[in-house]
Amino acid sequence: MSTKALNDLFINKNFCHEIIENYNRENRSVLTVEEFFIEPIKEVIGFLCDYYTLTIKCTEKLKGENIQMLKFFIKSLPAVNKNDERIKIFGKEKALYRYLLPYLLNYSKEIWLPRLYLCDDQLLVLEDLRESGFADCHNYLNLTDVGIFNILRSVAIMHSSSIVYEYYVGISIGKAFTNCLQEITLSSSVPWLSTGVKAIVELAKIHPKYKTNLECCKDRTLVGITEQELLQSYKEFQLFGLVYRFLALTILNVPRGIVNDHYKNVERSKQLMEYMHKNKEFRLLIFESLEDIVDFIIKTIE
């Protein structure tokens, strides 16, 4: 999609003025908007939204020749049916960014969350933390000790900030934000999850380690467990993390070109198998993740 088409899609100059007004308020600056550019983010970084980089060319009111290029991160909800579960998920995230998370930042000295500069029904415009020196995690499978420590440290800061917030404001976050905090990305009604679980079942059928056993089962599968039982059991045991890892691999470790709406929410088994056939490293990775799931289930049943 061209930059012009993206501009016409959801961002106009009025939006940019609002973003910069919020930026000025936050940073005590006096910038004005000159131009803006939007580019899609090519790498896969999630399943819910479309992701873009917004660059706004600004000048200082008092120093007309002083030009600044500010970059922001955009999460845009794609056009979906009104009953699509992604609308609920995006609504939850939007509410948290608008009504809770920015206030927690007031109780922490360090950055652990991007600041919000615009919130609309279809998009969030956030601070691009890469511009502040925070690096992307390019290897999701082999995090360094430093990477793991930084993640845990950020989570710890978030939790400590929430405790201080509750103390000073005099509310319980769990009670006041019950609807926003409900984890709905893991519901079996979310297509992203259900299609991923179906992919587990289909790929288990071709895994050399389980193929013989699975050929004997007609109405059942990953060892004598149905798809519905798999959905139920992963919620209750360690299986949750193993299944979620597999789902993430099917989104984050495949070529960006195949991760379209149909792949994410309708059917991904066929394309997964095709890519596994082409990429030996990915095939071994998927089979390894699949073994973790099936072996855990076998151990649990025994």
Side-chain angles (χ1 to χ4, degrees):
M1 185 179 292
S2 67
T3 299
K4 182 180 186 301
L6 288 174
N7 292 351
D8 294 340
L9 182 63
F10 52 67
I11 288 287
N12 56 44
K13 202 163 186 178
N14 288 333
F15 271 9
C16 291
H17 283 302
E18 185 175 347
I19 292 168
I20 294 304
E21 284 179 8
N22 292 329
Y23 178 90
N24 284 336
R25 190 178 304 110
E26 184 73 37
N27 295 275
R28 298 180 180 178
S29 55
V30 284
L31 302 176
T32 57
V33 177
E34 297 295 328
E35 298 180 81
F36 67 98
F37 314 91
I38 301 175
E39 294 180 319
I41 295 177
K42 295 181 180 180
E43 63 268 26
V44 180
I45 57 176
F47 73 95
L48 175 64
C49 294
D50 295 327
Y51 303 91
Y52 305 90
T53 295
L54 168 66
T55 302
I56 303 180
K57 179 181 178 181
C58 301
T59 56
E60 289 191 41
K61 290 182 178 179
L62 303 180
K63 302 177 181 179
E65 296 182 357
N66 191 358
I67 298 175
Q68 293 191 36
M69 305 294 284
L70 301 179
K71 289 190 176 182
F72 301 89
F73 176 73
I74 295 177
K75 299 185 68 170
S76 173
L77 187 67
V80 294
N81 183 282
K82 65 178 181 180
N83 296 320
D84 194 295
E85 290 292 326
R86 282 172 290 177
I87 293 179
K88 294 181 182 178
I89 299 171
F90 187 78
K92 165 191 168 178
E93 185 170 359
K94 181 176 66 176
L96 287 173
Y97 267 108
R98 178 179 281 173
Y99 301 118
L100 176 61
L101 294 178
Y103 299 99
L104 298 186
L105 283 176
N106 295 328
Y107 299 96
S108 56
K109 295 181 179 179
E110 300 185 47
I111 297 175
W112 54 272
L113 175 80
R115 296 187 181 277
L116 176 68
Y117 289 110
L118 183 69
C119 182
D120 186 69
D121 288 340
Q122 298 295 316
L123 61 89
L124 293 171
V125 178
L126 302 163
E127 176 184 13
D128 191 337
L129 291 180
R130 294 171 297 183
E131 295 298 299
S132 301
F134 290 82
D136 290 331
C137 177
H138 293 294
N139 193 328
Y140 301 98
L141 302 176
N142 297 300
L143 289 172
T144 63
D145 290 343
V146 173
I148 294 173
F149 175 80
N150 286 335
I151 291 172
L152 295 176
R153 191 165 182 269
S154 295
V155 172
I157 294 173
M158 178 189 71
H159 282 295
S160 60
S161 299
S162 67
I163 293 172
V164 178
Y165 172 80
E166 287 185 323
Y167 175 80
Y168 280 107
V169 179
I171 65 170
S172 166
I173 290 177
K175 293 181 180 179
F177 297 92
T178 300
N179 294 334
C180 299
L181 296 175
Q182 182 182 5
E183 185 49 78
I184 55 180
T185 63
L186 306 179
S187 169
S188 58
S189 62
V190 176
W192 173 79
L193 178 69
S194 58
T195 55
V197 171
K198 288 178 182 177
I200 292 176
V201 175
E202 293 303 313
L203 293 177
K205 295 177 182 177
I206 66 170
H207 193 302
K209 184 175 179 179
Y210 311 110
K211 186 176 181 181
T212 302
N213 293 334
L214 294 177
E215 285 175 347
C216 302
C217 305
K218 299 296 183 181
D219 299 324
R220 307 174 72 83
T221 65
L222 351 103
V223 294
I225 184 171
T226 65
E227 182 180 326
Q228 186 56 40
E229 288 169 334
L230 175 60
L231 281 169
Q232 181 60 34
S233 62
Y234 97 90
K235 298 176 184 176
E236 302 172 356
F237 305 107
Q238 178 186 337
L239 190 56
F240 157 74
L242 299 177
V243 171
Y244 207 83
R245 174 181 180 245
F246 177 91
L247 299 179
L249 290 176
T250 67
I251 298 294
L252 300 175
N253 287 73
V254 298
R256 180 69 180 90
I258 73 173
V259 187
N260 53 30
D261 190 68
H262 184 273
Y263 175 87
K264 289 186 288 187
N265 301 298
V266 180
E267 170 57 43
R268 77 184 71 155
S269 301
K270 181 179 178 181
Q271 286 172 292
L272 264 180
M273 292 181 188
E274 290 177 351
Y275 185 59
M276 288 170 64
H277 180 71
K278 297 176 182 177
N279 190 313
K280 180 180 178 180
E281 183 179 350
F282 179 72
R283 180 170 69 251
L284 294 175
L285 185 63
I286 286 293
F287 277 160
E288 175 190 313
S289 179
L290 194 59
E291 284 184 36
D292 289 340
I293 295 170
V294 177
D295 288 346
F296 179 84
I297 294 174
I298 292 174
K299 183 179 178 180
T300 302
I301 293 175
E302 292 176 346

